[in-house]
Amino acid sequence: MGSNGNSAVAADALLKESEAIHYSRRALAGKRRALAEKLLEEGRALAGPLIEQVKDPEKEDPDKNLFLKPVDLLNACLGLDHMTDEATEELNKIMEVFGGKIMWVTEEPEEVPRPEPNHNHALDVVVVGAGASGVGVGLMLTRVFNLDPERVLLVERGERVGESFHRWPKEMRFISPSFNNQGWTNSFDLNSIAYGTSPAFTLQTEHPNGQEYAHYLNELATQGELNIRFQTQVNAIEPLRKLGLGKISGFKVKTSAAKVGEDGEWMGEEAEGEVLSARYVVWAAGEFQYPRAKEQDPFFPGAELCRHNSSVRSWKELPGDDFVVIGGYESAWTPCTISQPAARGPPWSRPRPSGRSPPTTPPPSSRPTPWRGSGMGSGGPQPLLGSSRPSA
């Protein structure tokens, strides 16, 4: 048999192998779909009566652990990439029953007795700031270390949780993408501040803006029942020392009512307010509202001549044609990536003096919504964690 004959035989063999693979793939796809349908049917059958029992005011609520099996079945259905819309809908029904707190549907641990305070202060911890750090620390102290929520006080000079994020320029978004890894890996959503939560799912966006992220923080603080005192300015913190030992035994936190002055700067009322007494103080006020751009304490010579990002409400509405941008993170990439008229010309970005270089890929300026499920503004408590998978 000549070379042409050998080639024909080889080609026929390859075609048969290809047909076999295609057939096996179709057969496997059929099995996956059939299994997904069974998982969905069984998960729905188990969850349905439990949901109805919770909704019936005349019946006692079922044990939360009874929801574990249907949740596992529906998650398994999602993992097969079939019936995803139906499975997500059923999971959302379960989440609605628990007010978005499906992340706490786990086996109930034995209640650990809360230890009595080993000091005579009115508070265990004062946390200054109710932003990402403050809310995260508050949840950690009360949820993980079991401190009494009434003895952990968050002091916030703004009127709401996440005040700094509310003050971000309208166009500014997180560079780090939010992605709901939970259920696939042991990783956090990069922008999550509490285990078992995902801004990607709660906000339905990959690169949250300030308003969206503040909404996520507020949901965490509300569902975590954190003790927050708003419109309170911290004017001074003084250590308390044990007599004869010199060791710090606690702190006095001097406060007053907070207000915004004519120059837009925060200030405390002249009349002194309450003096708080706590064993520990955590400073979680961030950097956004404390720019070192004043002549008295500039970050670098001439910093007082610059306009800090925190004073910009919208880069699109800022007058001017040419800008020199110093920095390499969210505040720098925002003016570099927003849509501007061509006449304004390209902005010029420089790394900040610390020498850290900006990322090579700027964040998208659009708002992708790769997640299925209940989104922001749907009413009622917001879901903080979802089992949804990304769709194209």
Side-chain angles (χ1 to χ4, degrees):
M1 184 182 292
S3 59
N4 290 339
N6 291 333
S7 297
V9 171
D12 288 340
L14 289 173
L15 288 172
K16 288 182 179 180
E17 184 177 355
S18 175
E19 290 176 0
I21 290 175
H22 281 300
Y23 175 78
S24 62
R25 288 181 62 184
R26 287 196 299 270
L28 179 60
K31 290 180 179 180
R32 289 168 66 93
R33 174 171 288 278
L35 178 57
E37 290 175 352
K38 290 182 180 178
L39 289 167
L40 174 64
E41 181 181 358
E42 186 64 23
R44 185 180 281 161
L46 290 176
L50 296 174
I51 293 174
E52 292 302 318
Q53 184 176 341
V54 173
K55 292 181 177 180
D56 191 338
E58 297 182 358
K59 293 183 179 179
E60 184 178 351
D61 288 347
D63 187 341
K64 286 184 179 181
N65 293 323
L66 295 176
F67 284 88
L68 292 175
K69 184 60 67 177
V71 167
D72 288 342
L73 290 167
L74 295 169
N75 279 329
C77 177
L78 289 173
L80 293 173
D81 286 325
H82 289 289
M83 315 299 293
T84 53
D85 289 337
E86 295 86 345
T88 300
E89 182 181 354
E90 294 302 318
L91 283 168
N92 285 338
K93 290 179 182 178
I94 298 176
M95 292 182 70
E96 289 173 5
V97 166
F98 287 96
K101 298 182 182 180
I102 192 66
M103 60 180 181
W104 286 303
V105 180
T106 56
E107 293 185 11
E108 292 287 345
E110 293 184 10
E111 186 173 346
V112 179
R114 184 167 286 145
E116 293 294 326
N118 58 357
H119 56 82
N120 59 358
H121 299 288
L123 298 166
D124 292 327
V125 185
V126 169
V127 181
V128 183
S133 296
V135 172
V137 168
L139 291 172
M140 181 70 71
L141 292 173
T142 56
R143 294 268 176 184
V144 178
F145 293 102
N146 200 30
L147 294 185
D148 185 349
E150 293 299 318
R151 297 182 59 84
V152 177
L153 176 64
L154 277 67
V155 178
E156 168 59 49
R157 67 181 178 182
E159 299 179 350
R160 52 203 167 176
V161 170
E163 183 69 38
S164 291
F165 292 100
H166 282 289
R167 292 168 173 260
W168 271 20
K170 288 192 300 185
E171 301 85 5
M172 195 159 88
R173 293 180 175 274
F174 277 73
I175 286 180
S176 52
S178 278
F179 188 80
N180 184 9
N181 298 321
Q182 313 229 16
W184 297 359
T185 71
N186 292 324
S187 302
F188 266 52
D189 183 313
L190 290 175
N191 298 316
S192 170
I193 64 161
Y195 183 77
T197 71
S198 170
F201 184 78
T202 302
L203 305 175
Q204 301 289 282
T205 187
E206 185 177 344
H207 295 273
N209 61 29
Q211 297 282 340
E212 291 166 336
Y213 197 70
H215 172 83
Y216 160 73
L217 296 178
N218 185 66
E219 288 298 320
L220 276 175
T222 301
Q223 295 190 21
E225 299 179 336
L226 295 182
N227 182 17
I228 306 177
R229 185 177 299 178
F230 295 102
Q231 293 183 286
T232 303
Q233 174 84 13
V234 173
N235 298 318
I237 300 174
E238 297 178 2
L240 300 172
R241 301 183 185 276
K242 289 185 177 179
L243 293 176
L245 297 177
K247 294 183 179 179
I248 295 177
S249 60
F251 297 89
K252 286 198 303 184
V253 182
K254 296 183 177 180
T255 68
S256 63
K259 65 178 182 179
V260 179
E262 294 180 359
D263 58 356
E265 296 288 335
W266 287 98
M267 58 185 295
E269 295 282 3
E270 294 182 2
E272 290 190 7
E274 183 179 358
V275 177
L276 306 173
S277 173
R279 178 65 183 89
Y280 299 100
V281 174
V282 176
W283 187 266
E287 298 179 333
F288 182 81
Q289 297 186 41
Y290 302 91
R292 291 179 58 187
K294 296 181 179 180
E295 189 173 357
Q296 298 85 349
D297 183 31
F299 187 57
F300 58 90
E304 71 278 6
L305 305 176
C306 303
R307 177 154 192 173
H308 192 266
N309 178 60
S310 60
S311 69
V312 178
R313 290 295 166 260
S314 171
W315 282 100
K316 289 183 178 180
E317 299 170 6
L318 195 67
D321 296 323
D322 297 301
F323 299 88
V324 175
V325 181
I326 302 174
Y329 292 92
E330 279 90 351
S331 56
W333 277 110
T334 297
C336 293
T337 57
I338 61 174
S339 301
Q340 299 185 18
R344 300 191 69 159
W348 177 27
S349 178
R350 287 278 190 174
R352 60 183 298 177
S354 64
R356 289 180 286 181
S357 300
T360 55
T361 305
S365 58
S366 61
R367 181 188 177 189
T369 54
W371 299 99
R372 297 186 178 98
S374 300
M376 185 175 168
S378 59
Q382 296 296 308
L384 299 176
L385 174 66
S387 306
S388 354
R389 298 174 66 89
S391 59

